[in-house]
Structures are given as structure tokens and as C-alpha cells.
Amino acid sequence: MSPRPKALFAMSEEHLALLFPAPLLRRLDTLADIDVTLVAERFDDPRLPLADTEILLTGWGCPPLDEALLAAAPRLRAVLHAAGSVKSLVTPACWERGLLVSSAAAANAVPVAEYTVGMILLAGKGVFALSERYRRDRAFTLAKIEQGIGNNGRRVGVVGASRIGRKVLDLLAPYDLDLCLYDPYTRVPGVPQASLEELLRSSDIVSLHAPATSETRHMLDRERLALMPDGAVLINTARGSLVDTDALVAELKSGRLSAILDVTEPEPLPSASPLFDLPNAFLTPHIAGSHGNELARMGAVVVDELERLTAGLPLAHPVNHDDLDRVA
């Protein structure tokens, strides 16, 4: 790879502006020959210098990197993805070419973990139910002590020791919480491991951080949701497919459980979904991941990776084909 390789942005123009503010663009210009005014949202654009492109800087809105693209870009050697999952982007042809692939998933994990920790602490304090009650009754009594709320010793079960799951555990460590983890592949030092069933039975709050795979589809089905104790809270910032939506709705309608859902199945929810009307379902529109100024954190990861490539160093955040089945 040449000292100043030819690079190309492949993403939506909207995301480019947020991912790479002026200071990052200046760094990019010192590392690569890149036209900051040219953005590939489709690869059949005749303006694109595909024949000379060695590195693609990709993001949301990038088309799949299929055989036609690779044929048009014979010098392409690396894909630096300024977002999380590469599953919708990288095709088998990429692995056959032997492309180097990097992802900014570690940077995207930061806001998701922050969102999750905030929700865990608010849920433990009973904020969502008490806020709903205050909105409904428009009155409260300062002298009344609410039973069953508070974060002192509350048991929080984390499902999945992914980047985000581990970050959540790290951020929760200073609090007086009783943490446990379920992950069939990974252990986290200092965090007790439990089976999924044991975790569900014993946790006041369950937070999902597993990838969407054939094995994890509806891993929280009717039977497993029934294991959760009365008053427990389910938080899902991972993938909607991890939860059987109909089974969850039935539990929420009974009033037995509460849920905080940033992702759902389907997504977006149909306007008639009962989840919109249930007082014990707190919904957000897939906002836990990077938004606004948080996107620049992912852009910085990509620029760092480009710097490593041009210096002949290995990528800091490589994505390997064999790992795809176990990551988001």
C-alpha cells in the first residue's frame, strides 16, 4: 500500500458530515489521497475513481461490497467502517479477496453502554413507574416511603459479554449493585457467571447485549420470560429479535414485568402496537447507539485505523470472518 493511498468515502452524505468534522478531515488529508467532496452512495456513479481506490471509508448508507464493486476496484485492499456491524456490508467476495476489514463498533459501544447504565439506575429507582403514576394522579405525598425501589444491592443480570455488555459491567462496577453475567463463550473476571435461566430467575433487572444469530432468536420466549420475578425490568438495547414480542406484550399486559426497549421486532413498530399504550413499556426509537456529536468518536477510530495502515501496523479493531456469527 502506497504511503498516501487513494481512499474513497462510501456512506450517506448526512453521516459523512457528522462522522468527520473539520479536524478529522484535515488528519485524513495528511494520510490519504481523498476527495472530501465525493461520496459514494452507489457504486455505479461514473465519477467514482474505483479503479484506483485502495481503501474504502464506509458508514451507514454504504451499498454492499459485492463482486461487481470488487471487479471495478482491483486495487481495493481495506475497508474501514465508521459504524458498528459490517454484516450488511461485507459479502463473501470481500473475504475471498482477503480485504482487511475494521469496524468502529468499540466506539459505538460507548453511548449504548451509557444509555443502558442510565436506564438501569433509573429503573432501579422506580423512576418510570413513579413518573407514570405522578402524571396520572397529579399528586404525591412527600412523607410516603416507596417500598421495593432503590439501587442498593439490586441484582442486575447482563446477557452477553459483548463489547457493550463488558462496558456496561465496567460502568456499573462502582455502584452497590449485585452483578451477574450469562455468556456461553466468554467470562469476565470478577463478575459471577450464571446460566440464562438462573440469571432470569434471580435478577431484578435484565439487560440484553447478545448478537442477533439463529441461536439467539427469541432467546427470551414465553417460557423464559415467565422465569423473571414479579416486578422485574427487561432492558433491550441489542436486537429486537432476541425477544418474542408477543410473549413480552402478554407479560406487560399482566402488569408482572416492565420493559425498556430501544430496539424491537419488528422495527419500527406498527402504529397499532400495544407497546405504545402500555404504561410499563418505555420505548425509545433506536437511539442508544451513536447520534449527533457521538458519531465523531467513530470517525476518529477510522482515522486512527487509516494511520495504522499507512504506517504498516496491524489494525486495532479488525473484523474477522470467523467472528461474524458471534458479533452484532
Side-chain angles (χ1 to χ4, degrees):
M1 192 169 291
S2 58
R4 196 164 173 266
K6 187 74 175 178
L8 176 66
F9 290 119
M11 60 189 67
S12 72
E13 291 191 11
E14 175 189 9
H15 283 108
L16 173 63
L18 292 168
L19 286 163
F20 299 101
L24 287 180
L25 287 180
R26 287 193 291 270
R27 276 189 66 199
L28 272 177
D29 187 55
T30 67
L31 296 168
D33 178 5
I34 189 165
D35 184 348
V36 300
T37 69
L38 187 60
V39 184
E41 296 191 52
R42 34 188 277 256
F43 289 127
D44 59 355
D45 186 336
R47 299 174 303 151
L48 302 179
L50 292 177
D52 297 324
T53 297
E54 298 175 68
I55 301 172
L56 280 179
L57 308 183
T58 62
W60 297 321
C62 178
L65 309 180
D66 57 17
E67 292 181 358
L69 175 276
L70 295 183
R75 298 183 63 194
L76 183 64
R77 294 293 177 265
V79 177
L80 308 181
H81 191 50
S85 177
V86 301
K87 287 184 178 180
S88 64
L89 180 76
V90 177
T91 65
C94 296
W95 304 116
E96 292 170 10
R97 166 76 68 89
L99 294 184
L100 296 173
V101 180
S102 173
S103 164
N108 194 47
V110 174
V112 182
E114 292 171 345
Y115 171 105
T116 303
V117 169
M119 292 299 176
I120 287 171
L121 296 175
L122 290 173
K125 192 71 173 176
V127 166
F128 301 104
L130 294 174
S131 174
E132 184 65 26
R133 184 196 305 173
Y134 190 23
R135 183 188 305 277
R136 183 193 66 218
D137 298 343
R138 312 211 171 188
F140 67 96
T141 304
L142 287 175
K144 182 177 180 181
I145 300 298
E146 294 289 339
Q147 299 295 319
I149 69 169
N151 287 305
N152 183 25
R154 188 170 295 280
R155 187 167 177 83
V156 176
V158 171
V159 177
S162 60
R163 289 184 185 89
I164 298 169
R166 294 193 300 272
K167 184 69 174 175
V168 167
L169 290 168
D170 287 344
L171 292 175
L172 290 176
Y175 296 96
D176 293 323
L177 296 166
D178 178 16
L179 303 176
C180 67
L181 169 70
Y182 164 71
D183 190 296
Y185 305 104
T186 305
R187 299 290 187 268
V188 174
V191 180
Q193 185 88 4
S195 69
L196 179 57
E197 288 73 18
E198 179 187 354
L199 181 148
L200 293 172
R201 286 191 189 98
S202 64
S203 296
D204 302 299
I205 300 171
V206 173
S207 189
L208 302 182
H209 302 287
T213 67
S214 58
E215 291 180 355
T216 62
R217 177 168 177 77
H218 290 187
M219 66 187 304
L220 265 62
D221 55 14
R222 194 173 305 276
E223 289 73 22
R224 283 178 170 152
L225 287 170
L227 298 176
M228 296 178 66
D230 292 355
V233 181
L234 174 67
I235 300 176
N236 191 3
T237 59
R239 292 291 186 265
S241 63
L242 301 183
V243 181
D244 181 334
T245 301
D246 291 340
L248 178 61
V249 167
E251 287 284 8
L252 295 175
K253 282 184 175 180
S254 77
R256 211 177 65 77
L257 302 178
S258 298
I260 298 168
L261 306 174
D262 188 55
V263 292
T264 56
E265 185 187 52
E267 189 175 72
L269 288 169
S271 60
S273 171
L275 286 171
F276 286 118
D277 299 314
L278 289 167
N280 50 347
F282 183 80
L283 307 179
T284 55
H286 205 141
I287 60 168
S290 298
H291 281 265
N293 62 25
E294 294 165 336
L295 270 73
R297 184 188 283 121
M298 295 194 294
V301 166
V302 163
V303 176
D304 289 345
E305 291 287 65
L306 179 59
E307 188 169 41
R308 294 179 69 86
L309 273 181
T310 57
L313 299 173
L315 295 169
H317 305 284
V319 178
N320 301 308
H321 179 267
D322 293 343
D323 295 334
L324 284 184
D325 287 341
R326 298 195 292 111
V327 298

